[in-house]
Amino acid sequence: MKETKTLKWTLISICGIGMVLTSFTLLYDLLIPDICYYHTHEMNSFLNLFYSAGSADNGHPSPNLLNLITSLIIGGILGYGIYKIVINKKKIKTTANTVYKT
């Protein structure tokens, strides 16, 4: 594949959005199986960092801004890593073809 800014930012955006969706759905269900449990119990410090259980949510934990930002950053880093892998594989294949042809 040709090394382009469009490809790089597309992969970063797709992975960032995918990580946010994963965080807000799958991880949320894994970390908080019973949302009504926190009506009478306190959340631990890890959950307090990434989820808030205020009166607007009726005491149910919901992802907060730190969760969103962290998910976007991790997804962006993952997307950039995938971009580098794709570009390096293409460069290695192109270099190998030119070495064997000469």
Side-chain angles (χ1 to χ4, degrees), residues 74-88:
I74 291 171
I77 292 170
L78 181 67
Y80 185 73
I82 292 171
Y83 169 74
K84 283 298 194 183
I85 290 170
V86 168
I87 295 303
N88 286 337

Side-chain angles (χ1 to χ4, degrees), residues 61-82:
S62 62
N64 60 14
L65 185 61
L66 181 63
N67 190 337
L68 174 70
I69 292 170
T70 305
S71 299
L72 283 173
I73 289 172
I74 291 171
I77 292 170
L78 181 67
Y80 185 73
I82 292 171

Side-chain angles (χ1 to χ4, degrees), residues 22-76:
T22 301
S23 173
F24 280 33
T25 56
L26 182 66
L27 287 177
Y28 180 79
D29 290 338
L30 289 174
L31 291 174
I32 306 170
D34 181 20
I35 58 174
C36 292
Y37 175 81
Y38 295 104
H39 287 294
T40 57
H41 298 86
E42 290 291 321
M43 287 191 295
N44 60 23
S45 59
F46 176 75
L47 288 177
N48 276 332
L49 278 176
F50 297 105
Y51 298 96
S52 61
S55 59
D57 298 320
N58 199 20
H60 298 144
S62 62
N64 60 14
L65 185 61
L66 181 63
N67 190 337
L68 174 70
I69 292 170
T70 305
S71 299
L72 283 173
I73 289 172
I74 291 171

